[in-house]
Amino acid sequence: MNTKELLGRYFESKPEEARRKIRAQLDREELYNYEKQSGKSILEWDSSDVINFLILCNAGSRKLSIRSIDVILSLLRMFYEWYNENIGEVKNPCNDKKLKGKRVSEIVFNETREEPFTRSMLEDVCTKLHQEEIVEFADYLECIVRMAYEGFGDTQDMIALKPEDIDHETHIVTIRQTKHKLSDRLYKLLVRIHEMEIMPGYRGNFVMVSCEGSYFKFLTREKNADKEHDITFYMNYLSRLYIRKIKPLFDIDISLRGIYVTGFYDYLCEKYGKDYVEDSLNGVHVKRQSDFIMLEAAQYGIRVSNMSQFKQTLKSRK
């Protein structure tokens, strides 16, 4: 019986709803790829194989979180227990002390950590946009990526910006009741796009429309200009535009959320100094690090529900 069949029998023993929710966490392509690479079936794994499997999972497009690592380890442990009770007898590698506690996630994240996203990467991509796109459209795409970097936490924040949220004298904007000072470049881009009625395109002009009075405008063809769409439509529109037109220009896998987090990290470094911020993230200022980061995140407009996971995100910035 191969691994696929074994997992099938194992998950058949679970309630249908639970089976549907958890199967994909374990029964995944990386498992079979690791079996081929190592030459060992899942029944022959030891604790190092489990860790290497997790590293392979995190190296893929679906990054692991601390919670997902815990879920996979729990599923593996229960799978081996089920096998020993119902089919045969094998060693359960998940009982190894090496797979206990936070050490597993630290190993997995350290092994698969990519170069963190930086401000210089953002500037490089903005330059590439102006080399590859019509000037007006390049400005439009640049505005999206700079908004993420300068405090707009998601596409909903971009759409929610209203004319009254901008102080044109100070260039300070209000985003979810928090204040952010825009760079001169982003301020000029926002005003330029807001004032545009028509944008030239390769296959004809676009009409610029607002969503429920938004300051930021959206591109549509003239025949569709009178159609009304809700905020979800435009959130998806911005996400698709980022994935198709901006993200491929980066040399690393980075989301709009990752760009936003990098903007927050750079804001902290500018305010407190990079050494202090890095020491806080790495546990040097143990007594005050959580309060310091939590307070600054709240003032920036970031909701933090899991501090250890958020600090890991700040470290990796992707």
Side-chain angles (χ1 to χ4, degrees), residues 69 102-111 113 312:
I69 289 175
K102 297 181 179 179
R103 188 167 180 272
V104 177
S105 58
E106 291 174 356
I107 293 172
V108 171
F109 293 138
N110 284 332
E111 286 293 328
R113 181 172 294 156
Q312 184 63 47

Side-chain angles (χ1 to χ4, degrees), residues 266-301:
D266 288 347
Y267 159 81
L268 290 179
C269 290
E270 184 175 340
K271 188 173 181 179
Y272 294 98
K274 185 173 181 179
D275 288 344
Y276 182 84
V277 174
E278 284 293 325
D279 286 347
S280 296
L281 292 177
N282 291 315
V284 176
H285 306 300
V286 176
K287 292 184 179 180
R288 60 179 183 269
Q289 63 174 331
S290 293
D291 290 341
F292 154 67
I293 295 173
M294 183 75 80
L295 177 61
E296 287 294 340
Q299 292 177 346
Y300 198 80

Side-chain angles (χ1 to χ4, degrees), residues 131-246:
Q131 292 171 344
E132 298 186 7
E133 302 289 350
I134 295 173
V135 174
E136 291 84 355
F137 189 48
D139 282 347
Y140 190 80
L141 296 175
E142 180 185 350
C143 188
I144 293 171
V145 75
R146 288 192 185 278
M147 288 172 79
Y149 179 77
E150 296 191 26
F152 292 79
D154 52 33
T155 54
Q156 185 173 357
D157 285 348
M158 298 177 187
I159 300 167
L161 184 70
K162 299 292 192 293
E164 59 269 25
D165 296 327
I166 303 177
D167 186 323
H168 291 280
E169 291 186 7
T170 63
H171 299 178
I172 291 176
V173 297
T174 302
I175 307 170
R176 280 189 276 112
Q177 299 182 323
T178 61
K179 304 291 185 181
H180 294 259
K181 182 168 177 39
L182 303 182
S183 64
D184 290 343
R185 176 61 179 168
L186 177 55
Y187 174 75
K188 290 177 182 177
L189 288 170
L190 268 174
V191 171
R192 186 178 306 163
I193 290 167
H194 176 72
E195 293 177 347
M196 291 178 68
E197 299 294 334
I198 300 292
M199 179 179 289
Y202 289 113
R203 293 181 293 176
N205 294 337
F206 291 94
V207 177
M208 307 294 288
V209 298
S210 294
C211 170
E212 300 176 3
S214 64
Y215 189 81
F216 188 75
K217 288 185 174 180
F218 304 90
L219 286 66
T220 187
R221 293 297 182 185
E222 187 173 0
K223 64 180 181 180
N224 299 322
D226 294 330
K227 290 184 179 180
E228 293 186 4
H229 300 287
D230 61 15
I231 191 171
T232 303
F233 175 88
Y234 289 107
M235 287 171 62
N236 292 334
Y237 169 83
L238 289 176
S239 296
R240 290 196 305 270
L241 204 55
Y242 173 76
I243 291 170
R244 293 175 182 175
K245 291 293 186 179
I246 303 174

